[in-house]
Amino acid sequence: CPVSPNGAMKLFFFYDQNFAPLRDHMVESLHECGGAAELSLQEDLLEDLKGNNRAGGGLPTYLYKSAKIRNALDEVDEGEVFLFTDVDVQYFKPVHTIVEECMASGVDMILQKEFEDIGVNIGFMAMRNTRACKAFWDYVHGEISRTQALDQRVVNNSLYSGHASRLGLRWDRWPSCIWASSMALSGPVPENLVVHHANFLVEKAPSADPMPKVAQLRQLRQALLRGKSSEDADWEAFMAAARSSPAMLDYRDRHFGARRPGPEWSTLPEGHVARPGGYSEKAAKKALAAAQAAAKQDGAEAEGS
């Protein structure tokens, strides 16, 4: 797959000053694994995102990221493949080869698995400058602006509903060696780990504080330096806590389960729990209140009879 004329694949990312420790850890891991020379860093240090003073989440960040991806597609040559990632990732092996192998099928974009069985995460992506890829990110940016929804929800809705395919987009998910910590729900860290994305924290942290994610990145790195991560008690404690986390289970159910709002995901098989969509928390609460009122009324009538 074509890369930039100098042979180095472009890696686009952005961060603000609060997230500089994550950026520095990411770049350091690139050098440690021997993969820095094959990548050309295209980084943006942001001072502010429309007043929220951080690059760690929220609507301004979602809009900036989708616009930045669309601009990156215009900056590279036609057909060129590049990476777009968050900064809460670390590298254990060079990625150039796996990117080439995965993009060789002709796909326009490869995204990270959110869970082993379902979902995409947009924290570590490879994409190709094609008309379909541009159309997809034009749509994503417009839909975030229109609905003010989470960028990742917009992306998953488009991909799994079949909308992206109707734009001509060919997409796939990385193999599990490009690993996100949300995948702890599905099993252990793969032994052939290439990338770790610290997308899930057991304990909720302020969005502008990068240190809990830095701690997770360092914890796994140290565990692997000592041997297998499965043999490290501290890391296994994190994995066990992640798998049983109410926040994790609730997130999966709301975004990839029975409580998922949004359009039908027609690319999923009939009977899949996430296929129907259309769930409304407001309607569910209203129905529950009505059922409780009816039960109370029935109880009162029974006592009076």
Side-chain angles (χ1 to χ4, degrees), residues 147-179:
T147 64
Q148 300 193 10
L150 176 70
D151 52 358
Q152 202 153 274
R153 172 164 276 167
V154 171
V155 169
N156 275 281
N157 280 341
S158 180
L159 296 177
Y160 282 105
S161 69
H163 170 267
S165 295
R166 292 190 290 276
L167 293 175
L169 188 81
R170 299 159 297 176
W171 66 280
D172 202 351
R173 301 193 303 161
W174 293 111
S176 298
C177 60
I178 308 291
W179 191 81

Side-chain angles (χ1 to χ4, degrees), residues 50 58-68 141 144-145:
K50 297 183 179 178
L59 183 62
T61 305
Y62 307 151
L63 289 169
Y64 180 86
K65 182 174 182 176
S66 55
K68 179 64 181 173
H141 185 77
I144 294 169
S145 299

Side-chain angles (χ1 to χ4, degrees), residues 78-258:
E78 183 177 354
E80 183 176 337
V81 170
F82 62 92
L83 290 168
F84 199 105
T85 83
D86 292 344
V87 291
D88 55 345
V89 304
Q90 62 181 335
Y91 296 81
F92 291 89
K93 296 178 183 177
V95 295
H96 197 282
T97 299
I98 193 171
V99 173
E100 288 191 330
E101 290 174 352
C102 290
M103 296 296 287
S105 63
V107 295
D108 301 295
M109 183 167 61
I110 300 183
L111 308 96
Q112 192 165 25
K113 294 175 179 176
E114 185 77 331
F115 299 103
E116 188 66 42
D117 59 327
I118 191 172
V120 302
N121 182 289
I122 60 174
F124 192 90
M125 299 178 288
M127 58 191 78
R128 192 189 313 271
N129 178 11
T130 62
R131 183 179 300 178
C133 209
K134 290 178 177 179
F136 176 77
W137 286 104
D138 279 338
Y139 167 80
V140 169
H141 185 77
E143 193 69 358
I144 294 169
S145 299
R146 184 181 72 83
T147 64
Q148 300 193 10
L150 176 70
D151 52 358
Q152 202 153 274
R153 172 164 276 167
V154 171
V155 169
N156 275 281
N157 280 341
S158 180
L159 296 177
Y160 282 105
S161 69
H163 170 267
S165 295
R166 292 190 290 276
L167 293 175
L169 188 81
R170 299 159 297 176
W171 66 280
D172 202 351
R173 301 193 303 161
W174 293 111
S176 298
C177 60
I178 308 291
W179 191 81
S181 50
S182 58
M183 293 170 67
L185 192 64
S186 308
V189 176
E191 291 188 8
N192 62 336
L193 184 65
V194 176
V195 170
H196 164 214
H197 177 200
N199 70 320
F200 177 76
L201 294 171
V202 172
E203 300 291 338
K204 188 173 182 180
S207 57
D209 180 8
M211 298 318 294
K213 289 195 170 188
V214 172
Q216 183 189 130
L217 295 166
R218 288 175 177 165
Q219 185 181 30
L220 180 55
R221 198 162 201 87
Q222 290 165 3
L224 291 175
L225 285 173
R226 290 193 289 263
K228 292 183 178 180
S229 62
S230 59
E231 297 173 353
D232 186 276
D234 291 339
W235 181 254
E236 279 302 287
F238 165 79
M239 293 287 284
R243 284 192 290 269
S244 61
S245 166
M248 171 84 86
L249 299 173
D250 180 67
Y251 170 76
R252 179 177 167 105
D253 195 39
R254 287 188 296 106
H255 289 261
F256 303 100

